[in-house]
C-alpha cells in the first residue's frame, strides 16, 4: 500500500517535472530569439522576421513532425535557427513541441 502511494506520487512528480522542464528549456535556449510567448517580439525576431507562433494559422499549418524536425535539424532557410539534436534529448524536443502548442492564441 505504501509502495503504491509512493509510486503514484513519484509518477505525478515526474509529469510535473516534464512540463516545467519544457518551460525551462524554452527560457534558457529559445526565448532570446522567439520571445517568452513565441511571438518573436525580440531584436533578432524582428531582424530575421521570425514567425509569430501564437498565430492559429501557423499552428494549423505546422504538424508536430514539422516542428520537431526544425528543432532537431535546424532550418534550411535560416542558419540562425540551429539544430538542437545534439543539445537536447528526443524527450526534451517532444516536450518543446507540446510547449509551443500552448502559445496558440484563442
Ligand atoms: C539565435 C536565435 C534562435 C534561437 C536561440 C532559437 N531559434 Fe528557432 N528560429 C530562429 C529563426 C531565425 C527561425 C526562422 C527560420 C526560418 O525562417 O526558416 C526559427 C524558426 C524556428 C521554428 C520554425 C518556425 C517556422 O518558421 O515555421 C521553430 C519550431 C523553432 N525555431 C523552434 C525553436 C526552439 C524550440 C528553440 C530552442 C530550443 C529555438 N527555436 C531557438 C532563431 C532561433
Amino acid at each position: 500500500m505504501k509502495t503504491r502511494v509512493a509510486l503514484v506520487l513519484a509518477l505525478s512528480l515526474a509529469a510535473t517535472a516534464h512540463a516545467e522542464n519544457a518551460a525551462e528549456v524554452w527560457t534558457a535556449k529559445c526565448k532570446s530569439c522567439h520571445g517568452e510567448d513565441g511571438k518573436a517580439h525580440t531584436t533578432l525576431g524582428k531582424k530575421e522576421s521570425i514567425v509569430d507562433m501564437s498565430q492559429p494559422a501557423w499552428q494549423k499549418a505546422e504538424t508536430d513532425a514539422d516542428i520537431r524536425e526544425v528543432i532537431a535539424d535546424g532550418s534550411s532557410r535560416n542558419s540562425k535557427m540551429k539544430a538542437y539534436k545534439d543539445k537536447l534529448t528526443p524527450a526534451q524536443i517532444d516536450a518543446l513541441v507540446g510547449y509551443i502548442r500552448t502559445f496558440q492564441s484563442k
Side-chain angles (χ1 to χ4, degrees), residues 36-105:
E36 184 160 20
D37 49 10
K39 291 183 180 167
H41 292 162
T42 63
T43 309
L44 202 126
K46 286 185 193 119
K47 195 166 149 234
E48 304 293 334
S49 319
I50 302 181
V51 72
D52 173 354
M53 292 177 176
S54 74
Q55 291 175 92
W58 181 84
Q59 289 278 349
K60 220 174 144 196
E62 298 291 315
T63 64
D64 286 357
D66 293 335
I67 298 175
R68 199 174 292 123
E69 194 180 308
V70 181
I71 303 172
D73 298 330
S75 170
S76 51
R77 287 173 298 175
N78 190 328
S79 59
K80 295 250 167 28
M81 179 59 207
K82 301 216 161 36
Y84 283 89
K85 62 171 177 284
D86 298 333
K87 298 186 185 96
L88 299 171
T89 64
Q92 284 178 312
I93 294 179
D94 282 346
L96 281 170
V97 173
Y99 191 67
I100 286 172
R101 292 299 184 200
T102 68
F103 294 148
Q104 173 157 1
S105 55

Side-chain angles (χ1 to χ4, degrees), residues 8-58:
V8 168
L9 202 71
L11 283 176
S12 50
L13 278 176
T16 321
H18 199 66
E20 273 173 12
N21 187 31
E24 268 170 32
V25 174
W26 180 268
T27 303
K29 298 198 191 309
C30 320
K31 189 182 129 182
S32 59
C33 296
H34 290 281
E36 184 160 20
D37 49 10
K39 291 183 180 167
H41 292 162
T42 63
T43 309
L44 202 126
K46 286 185 193 119
K47 195 166 149 234
E48 304 293 334
S49 319
I50 302 181
V51 72
D52 173 354
M53 292 177 176
S54 74
Q55 291 175 92
W58 181 84

